[in-house]
Amino acid sequence: MNKSDPELQAVGLTYWDYNYDALIHDKKTLKLMYKTSEKLAQLSNPSLTTLKYLLEVCSREKGSLDCDADKIMAKQMALYPDDAVVYLAPLQYAMNDGNEADVFYLINQMAKANSVQFSTYDSKKLHQELENYMLRNPHSEEGIEYFLNDYIDYFFGTAKPTKAENQYMRDNLADYLSVVAKLSLSWQRPLPSIRPFLQACEQYKELKAQCLDAAKIFYETGDSYLSQMIALAVAEKVHLAQGASALAKAVQNKQDKLKDTRGCLTKKIDIPQLIDGSYQLFLVALDVGIEAGEWAALKHHASLIYENELRVNPDTAHLLNPEMCFEGISEHGFLDAFKHTQ
């Protein structure tokens, strides 16, 4: 929260808010949290990422900080009307309040959007700041020793690493821990609830066309597996609500295929290991993910592993070929899920 960049301030605010109850008597930190949230809420042109983090701690339900969630949601929609994600939080409140007029308006706006920022990855600024922090604050020798002992016990068991292996791990530990920390952060990003989107499209048959159009935006422009699964789930709800059980079943089959494809890719990617240097591939894939999204990161990571296997074990490398995961998949076939029907 002490950084000058609003996006980093919002991230810091969110992480402190996760521990709000424990900070209830820490007046200095609480004062900084309130001051930061107030300053961020008054920004005239904050990034969408900044607003998403700020809304995470200013929700009506939680109310741990004295923020105005309605003003933040209004600012999101005013500044970023072409991004479908900005309508999800207001839609949740509209559904909870039973405000049908707002529900119709928000779904219609989602259908007119051009893209959706529903990323699996945190901001590039956050990852760069983490890297800089770790460079400025290297691990102590005691910390390195403690971690290595745990790592060796877990991965080597009763066997012991050679002197060369031990030295390799010591030399590369800082990079390894940086990757682990970045991966951990990537799993802790604020994502708005999509349940109201599903519920509205199931409940209001009049919104069938708009729901399918909005879902298509999630599928085509979303950069993650999650955004595409959301899109297909909405399409399935719409077809079921219309009594088109055959179409709903076809969409469900597409969901299964997408799930199998992701599962196939992830099976080719082991957990990041220090001893064999495989953690470095995670760092490369993470950078790709931040720039181009989760699917691009998974494909790139699996391809790197396959290329490495071609050099080391060419006879069995074909088993790791990521192209196997996409056999029988037609992008056009998936887009059929969002076609309007009578």
Coordinates of all heavy atoms in Angstrom, one line a residue, residues 268-325:
K268 N 0.7 -33.1 -18.8 CA 2.0 -33.1 -19.4 C 3.0 -32.1 -18.6 O 4.1 -32.0 -18.9 CB 1.9 -32.7 -20.8 CG 1.1 -33.7 -21.6 CD 1.0 -33.3 -23.1 CE 0.0 -34.2 -23.8 NZ 0.3 -35.6 -23.7
I269 N 2.4 -31.4 -17.6 CA 3.1 -30.4 -16.9 C 3.2 -30.8 -15.4 O 2.2 -30.8 -14.7 CB 2.5 -29.0 -17.0 CG1 2.4 -28.6 -18.5 CG2 3.3 -28.0 -16.2 CD1 1.5 -27.4 -18.7
D270 N 4.4 -31.2 -15.0 CA 4.6 -31.6 -13.6 C 4.7 -30.4 -12.7 O 4.7 -29.2 -13.2 CB 5.8 -32.4 -13.5 CG 5.8 -33.4 -12.3 OD1 4.9 -33.2 -11.4 OD2 6.7 -34.2 -12.2
I271 N 4.7 -30.6 -11.4 CA 4.9 -29.5 -10.5 C 6.3 -28.9 -10.7 O 7.2 -29.6 -11.1 CB 4.7 -29.9 -9.0 CG1 5.7 -31.0 -8.6 CG2 3.3 -30.4 -8.8 CD1 5.6 -31.4 -7.2
P272 N 6.5 -27.6 -10.4 CA 7.8 -27.0 -10.6 C 8.9 -27.6 -9.7 O 8.7 -27.6 -8.5 CB 7.6 -25.5 -10.3 CG 6.4 -25.5 -9.4 CD 5.5 -26.6 -9.9
Q273 N 9.9 -28.2 -10.3 CA 11.0 -28.8 -9.5 C 12.2 -28.0 -9.5 O 12.6 -27.4 -10.5 CB 11.3 -30.2 -10.1 CG 10.2 -31.2 -9.9 CD 10.2 -31.8 -8.5 OE1 10.8 -31.3 -7.6 NE2 9.4 -32.9 -8.3
L274 N 12.9 -27.9 -8.4 CA 14.2 -27.2 -8.2 C 15.3 -28.0 -8.8 O 16.2 -27.5 -9.5 CB 14.4 -26.9 -6.8 CG 15.8 -26.3 -6.4 CD1 16.0 -25.0 -7.2 CD2 15.9 -26.0 -4.9
I275 N 15.3 -29.3 -8.5 CA 16.5 -30.1 -8.8 C 16.8 -30.3 -10.3 O 17.9 -30.3 -10.7 CB 16.4 -31.5 -8.1 CG1 17.7 -32.4 -8.4 CG2 15.2 -32.3 -8.6 CD1 18.9 -31.7 -7.8
D276 N 15.7 -30.4 -11.1 CA 15.9 -30.6 -12.5 C 15.8 -29.3 -13.4 O 15.9 -29.3 -14.6 CB 15.0 -31.6 -13.1 CG 13.5 -31.2 -12.9 OD1 13.3 -30.1 -12.5 OD2 12.7 -32.1 -13.3
G277 N 15.6 -28.2 -12.7 CA 15.5 -26.9 -13.4 C 14.2 -26.7 -14.2 O 14.0 -25.7 -14.9
S278 N 13.2 -27.6 -14.0 CA 11.9 -27.5 -14.7 C 11.1 -26.3 -14.2 O 10.2 -25.8 -14.9 CB 11.1 -28.8 -14.5 OG 10.7 -28.9 -13.1
Y279 N 11.5 -25.7 -13.1 CA 10.8 -24.6 -12.6 C 10.9 -23.4 -13.5 O 10.1 -22.5 -13.6 CB 11.3 -24.2 -11.2 CG 12.7 -23.6 -11.2 CD1 12.9 -22.2 -11.3 CD2 13.8 -24.4 -11.1 CE1 14.2 -21.7 -11.3 CE2 15.1 -23.9 -11.1 CZ 15.2 -22.5 -11.2 OH 16.5 -22.0 -11.2
Q280 N 12.1 -23.4 -14.3 CA 12.3 -22.3 -15.2 C 11.3 -22.2 -16.3 O 11.0 -21.2 -16.8 CB 13.7 -22.4 -15.8 CG 14.8 -22.3 -14.8 CD 16.2 -22.6 -15.3 OE1 16.3 -23.4 -16.3 NE2 17.2 -22.1 -14.6
L281 N 10.8 -23.4 -16.7 CA 9.7 -23.4 -17.7 C 8.4 -22.8 -17.2 O 7.7 -22.2 -18.0 CB 9.4 -24.9 -18.2 CG 10.6 -25.7 -18.7 CD1 10.2 -27.1 -19.2 CD2 11.3 -24.9 -19.9
F282 N 8.2 -23.0 -15.9 CA 7.0 -22.3 -15.3 C 7.1 -20.8 -15.4 O 6.1 -20.1 -15.6 CB 6.9 -22.8 -13.8 CG 6.2 -24.1 -13.6 CD1 6.9 -25.3 -13.8 CD2 4.8 -24.2 -13.3 CE1 6.3 -26.5 -13.6 CE2 4.2 -25.4 -13.2 CZ 4.9 -26.5 -13.3
L283 N 8.3 -20.3 -15.2 CA 8.5 -18.9 -15.2 C 8.3 -18.3 -16.6 O 7.6 -17.3 -16.8 CB 10.0 -18.5 -14.8 CG 10.3 -17.0 -14.6 CD1 9.4 -16.4 -13.6 CD2 11.7 -16.8 -14.2
V284 N 8.8 -19.0 -17.6 CA 8.5 -18.6 -19.0 C 7.0 -18.7 -19.3 O 6.5 -17.7 -19.9 CB 9.3 -19.6 -20.0 CG1 8.9 -19.2 -21.4 CG2 10.8 -19.4 -19.8
A285 N 6.4 -19.8 -18.9 CA 4.9 -19.9 -19.2 C 4.1 -18.8 -18.4 O 3.1 -18.4 -18.9 CB 4.5 -21.3 -18.7
L286 N 4.6 -18.5 -17.2 CA 3.9 -17.5 -16.4 C 4.0 -16.1 -17.2 O 2.9 -15.4 -17.2 CB 4.6 -17.4 -15.1 CG 3.9 -16.5 -14.0 CD1 2.5 -17.0 -13.7 CD2 4.7 -16.4 -12.7
D287 N 5.1 -15.8 -17.7 CA 5.2 -14.5 -18.5 C 4.3 -14.6 -19.7 O 3.7 -13.5 -20.0 CB 6.7 -14.3 -18.9 CG 7.6 -14.0 -17.7 OD1 7.1 -13.5 -16.7 OD2 8.8 -14.2 -17.8
V288 N 4.2 -15.7 -20.4 CA 3.3 -15.8 -21.5 C 1.9 -15.7 -21.1 O 1.1 -15.0 -21.7 CB 3.5 -17.2 -22.2 CG1 2.4 -17.4 -23.3 CG2 4.9 -17.3 -22.8
G289 N 1.6 -16.3 -19.9 CA 0.2 -16.2 -19.4 C -0.2 -14.8 -19.1 O -1.4 -14.3 -19.4
I290 N 0.7 -14.0 -18.5 CA 0.4 -12.6 -18.1 C 0.1 -11.8 -19.4 O -0.8 -10.9 -19.4 CB 1.5 -12.0 -17.3 CG1 1.6 -12.7 -16.0 CG2 1.3 -10.5 -17.2 CD1 2.9 -12.3 -15.2
E291 N 0.8 -12.1 -20.5 CA 0.7 -11.3 -21.7 C -0.5 -11.8 -22.5 O -1.2 -11.1 -23.1 CB 2.0 -11.4 -22.5 CG 3.2 -10.7 -21.9 CD 3.0 -9.2 -21.9 OE1 2.2 -8.7 -22.6 OE2 3.7 -8.6 -21.1
A292 N -0.7 -13.2 -22.6 CA -1.6 -13.7 -23.6 C -2.7 -14.6 -23.0 O -3.6 -15.1 -23.7 CB -0.8 -14.5 -24.6
G293 N -2.7 -14.9 -21.7 CA -3.7 -15.7 -21.1 C -3.3 -17.1 -20.8 O -2.3 -17.6 -21.2
E294 N -4.3 -17.8 -20.0 CA -4.0 -19.1 -19.5 C -3.8 -20.2 -20.6 O -2.9 -21.0 -20.5 CB -5.2 -19.5 -18.6 CG -5.0 -20.9 -18.0 CD -6.3 -21.5 -17.4 OE1 -7.4 -20.9 -17.7 OE2 -6.2 -22.4 -16.7
W295 N -4.6 -20.1 -21.6 CA -4.5 -21.1 -22.7 C -3.2 -21.0 -23.4 O -2.5 -22.1 -23.7 CB -5.7 -21.0 -23.7 CG -6.9 -21.7 -23.3 CD1 -8.1 -21.1 -23.1 CD2 -7.2 -23.1 -23.1 NE1 -9.1 -22.0 -22.7 CE2 -8.5 -23.2 -22.7 CE3 -6.4 -24.2 -23.2 CZ2 -9.1 -24.5 -22.5 CZ3 -6.9 -25.4 -22.9 CH2 -8.3 -25.6 -22.5
A296 N -2.8 -19.8 -23.7 CA -1.5 -19.6 -24.3 C -0.3 -20.1 -23.5 O 0.6 -20.7 -23.9 CB -1.3 -18.1 -24.7
A297 N -0.5 -19.9 -22.1 CA 0.6 -20.3 -21.2 C 0.6 -21.9 -21.1 O 1.7 -22.5 -21.2 CB 0.3 -19.8 -19.8
L298 N -0.5 -22.5 -21.1 CA -0.5 -24.0 -21.0 C 0.1 -24.6 -22.3 O 0.9 -25.5 -22.2 CB -2.0 -24.5 -20.8 CG -2.6 -24.5 -19.4 CD1 -4.0 -24.8 -19.5 CD2 -1.8 -25.4 -18.5
K299 N -0.3 -24.1 -23.4 CA 0.2 -24.6 -24.7 C 1.7 -24.4 -24.8 O 2.4 -25.3 -25.2 CB -0.6 -24.0 -25.9 CG -2.0 -24.3 -26.0 CD -2.7 -23.5 -27.1 CE -4.2 -23.7 -27.1 NZ -4.9 -22.8 -28.1
H300 N 2.1 -23.2 -24.4 CA 3.5 -22.9 -24.5 C 4.4 -23.8 -23.6 O 5.4 -24.3 -24.0 CB 3.8 -21.4 -24.2 CG 5.2 -21.0 -24.5 ND1 5.6 -20.8 -25.8 CD2 6.2 -20.7 -23.7 CE1 6.9 -20.4 -25.8 NE2 7.2 -20.3 -24.5
H301 N 3.9 -24.0 -22.4 CA 4.6 -24.8 -21.4 C 4.7 -26.2 -21.8 O 5.7 -26.8 -21.8 CB 3.8 -24.7 -20.0 CG 4.6 -25.1 -18.9 ND1 4.3 -24.8 -17.6 CD2 5.8 -25.8 -18.8 CE1 5.2 -25.3 -16.8 NE2 6.1 -25.9 -17.5
A302 N 3.6 -26.8 -22.3 CA 3.6 -28.2 -22.8 C 4.5 -28.3 -24.0 O 5.2 -29.3 -24.1 CB 2.1 -28.6 -23.1
S303 N 4.5 -27.3 -24.8 CA 5.4 -27.4 -26.0 C 6.9 -27.4 -25.6 O 7.7 -28.1 -26.2 CB 5.1 -26.2 -27.0 OG 3.8 -26.3 -27.5
L304 N 7.2 -26.6 -24.6 CA 8.6 -26.5 -24.1 C 9.0 -27.9 -23.5 O 10.2 -28.3 -23.8 CB 8.8 -25.4 -23.0 CG 8.6 -24.0 -23.5 CD1 8.7 -23.0 -22.3 CD2 9.8 -23.6 -24.5
I305 N 8.1 -28.5 -22.8 CA 8.5 -29.8 -22.2 C 8.6 -30.8 -23.3 O 9.6 -31.7 -23.3 CB 7.3 -30.2 -21.3 CG1 7.3 -29.3 -20.0 CG2 7.5 -31.7 -20.8 CD1 6.2 -29.6 -19.1
Y306 N 7.8 -30.8 -24.3 CA 7.9 -31.7 -25.5 C 9.2 -31.5 -26.2 O 9.9 -32.5 -26.6 CB 6.7 -31.4 -26.4 CG 6.7 -32.2 -27.7 CD1 6.8 -33.6 -27.7 CD2 6.6 -31.5 -28.9 CE1 6.8 -34.3 -28.9 CE2 6.6 -32.2 -30.1 CZ 6.7 -33.6 -30.1 OH 6.8 -34.3 -31.3
E307 N 9.5 -30.2 -26.5 CA 10.8 -30.0 -27.2 C 12.0 -30.4 -26.4 O 13.0 -31.0 -27.0 CB 10.9 -28.5 -27.5 CG 9.9 -27.9 -28.5 CD 9.8 -26.4 -28.5 OE1 10.6 -25.8 -27.8 OE2 8.9 -25.9 -29.2
N308 N 12.0 -30.3 -25.1 CA 13.1 -30.8 -24.3 C 13.1 -32.3 -24.3 O 14.2 -32.9 -24.4 CB 12.9 -30.3 -22.9 CG 14.0 -30.7 -22.0 OD1 15.2 -30.2 -22.2 ND2 13.8 -31.5 -21.0
E309 N 12.0 -33.0 -24.3 CA 11.9 -34.4 -24.4 C 12.4 -34.9 -25.7 O 13.1 -36.0 -25.8 CB 10.5 -34.9 -24.1 CG 10.4 -36.4 -23.8 CD 11.0 -36.8 -22.5 OE1 11.3 -35.9 -21.6 OE2 11.1 -38.0 -22.2
L310 N 12.2 -34.2 -26.8 CA 12.7 -34.6 -28.1 C 14.2 -34.7 -28.1 O 14.8 -35.5 -28.8 CB 12.2 -33.6 -29.2 CG 10.8 -33.8 -29.7 CD1 10.4 -32.6 -30.6 CD2 10.6 -35.1 -30.4
R311 N 14.8 -33.8 -27.4 CA 16.3 -33.7 -27.3 C 16.8 -34.9 -26.4 O 17.9 -35.5 -26.7 CB 16.8 -32.4 -26.8 CG 16.6 -31.2 -27.7 CD 17.3 -30.0 -27.3 NE 16.7 -29.5 -26.0 CZ 15.7 -28.6 -26.0 NH1 15.2 -28.1 -27.2 NH2 15.2 -28.1 -24.9
V312 N 16.1 -35.1 -25.3 CA 16.6 -36.1 -24.3 C 16.2 -37.5 -24.6 O 17.0 -38.4 -24.5 CB 16.2 -35.6 -22.9 CG1 16.7 -36.6 -21.9 CG2 16.6 -34.2 -22.6
N313 N 14.9 -37.7 -24.9 CA 14.4 -39.0 -25.1 C 13.5 -39.0 -26.4 O 12.3 -39.1 -26.3 CB 13.5 -39.5 -23.9 CG 14.3 -39.6 -22.6 OD1 15.3 -40.3 -22.6 ND2 13.9 -38.9 -21.6
P314 N 14.1 -38.9 -27.5 CA 13.4 -38.8 -28.8 C 12.4 -40.0 -29.1 O 11.4 -39.8 -29.7 CB 14.4 -38.7 -29.9 CG 15.7 -39.2 -29.2 CD 15.6 -38.9 -27.8
D315 N 12.8 -41.2 -28.6 CA 12.0 -42.4 -28.8 C 10.6 -42.3 -28.2 O 9.6 -42.9 -28.7 CB 12.7 -43.7 -28.4 CG 13.9 -43.9 -29.3 OD1 14.0 -43.4 -30.4 OD2 14.8 -44.6 -28.8
T316 N 10.5 -41.7 -27.0 CA 9.3 -41.6 -26.3 C 8.6 -40.2 -26.2 O 7.6 -40.0 -25.6 CB 9.5 -42.1 -24.8 OG1 10.5 -41.3 -24.2 CG2 9.9 -43.6 -24.8
A317 N 9.3 -39.3 -26.9 CA 8.8 -37.9 -26.8 C 7.4 -37.7 -27.3 O 6.7 -36.8 -26.9 CB 9.8 -37.0 -27.6
H318 N 7.0 -38.6 -28.3 CA 5.7 -38.4 -28.9 C 4.6 -38.5 -27.8 O 3.5 -37.9 -28.0 CB 5.4 -39.5 -29.9 CG 5.4 -40.9 -29.4 ND1 6.6 -41.6 -29.1 CD2 4.4 -41.7 -29.1 CE1 6.2 -42.8 -28.7 NE2 4.9 -42.8 -28.6
L319 N 4.8 -39.1 -26.7 CA 3.8 -39.2 -25.6 C 3.5 -37.9 -25.0 O 2.5 -37.7 -24.3 CB 4.3 -40.2 -24.6 CG 4.5 -41.7 -25.1 CD1 5.1 -42.5 -24.0 CD2 3.1 -42.3 -25.5
L320 N 4.4 -36.9 -25.2 CA 4.3 -35.6 -24.6 C 3.9 -34.5 -25.6 O 3.8 -33.3 -25.3 CB 5.6 -35.2 -23.8 CG 5.9 -36.0 -22.6 CD1 7.3 -35.5 -22.1 CD2 4.9 -35.9 -21.5
N321 N 3.6 -34.9 -26.8 CA 3.2 -34.0 -27.8 C 1.9 -33.3 -27.5 O 0.8 -34.0 -27.4 CB 3.1 -34.7 -29.2 CG 2.9 -33.7 -30.3 OD1 2.6 -32.5 -30.1 ND2 3.2 -34.2 -31.5
P322 N 1.9 -32.0 -27.2 CA 0.6 -31.3 -26.8 C -0.4 -31.3 -27.9 O -1.6 -31.1 -27.6 CB 1.1 -29.9 -26.5 CG 2.3 -29.7 -27.2 CD 3.0 -31.1 -27.2
E323 N 0.0 -31.5 -29.2 CA -1.0 -31.5 -30.3 C -2.0 -32.7 -30.1 O -3.1 -32.6 -30.6 CB -0.3 -31.7 -31.6 CG 0.6 -30.5 -32.0 CD -0.3 -29.2 -32.1 OE1 -1.4 -29.2 -32.6 OE2 0.2 -28.2 -31.6
M324 N -1.6 -33.7 -29.4 CA -2.6 -34.8 -29.1 C -3.8 -34.3 -28.3 O -4.9 -34.9 -28.5 CB -1.9 -35.9 -28.2 CG -0.7 -36.6 -28.9 SD 0.3 -37.6 -27.7 CE -1.0 -38.5 -27.0
C325 N -3.6 -33.3 -27.5 CA -4.7 -32.8 -26.7 C -5.8 -32.1 -27.5 O -6.9 -31.9 -27.0 CB -4.2 -31.8 -25.6 SG -2.9 -32.6 -24.5

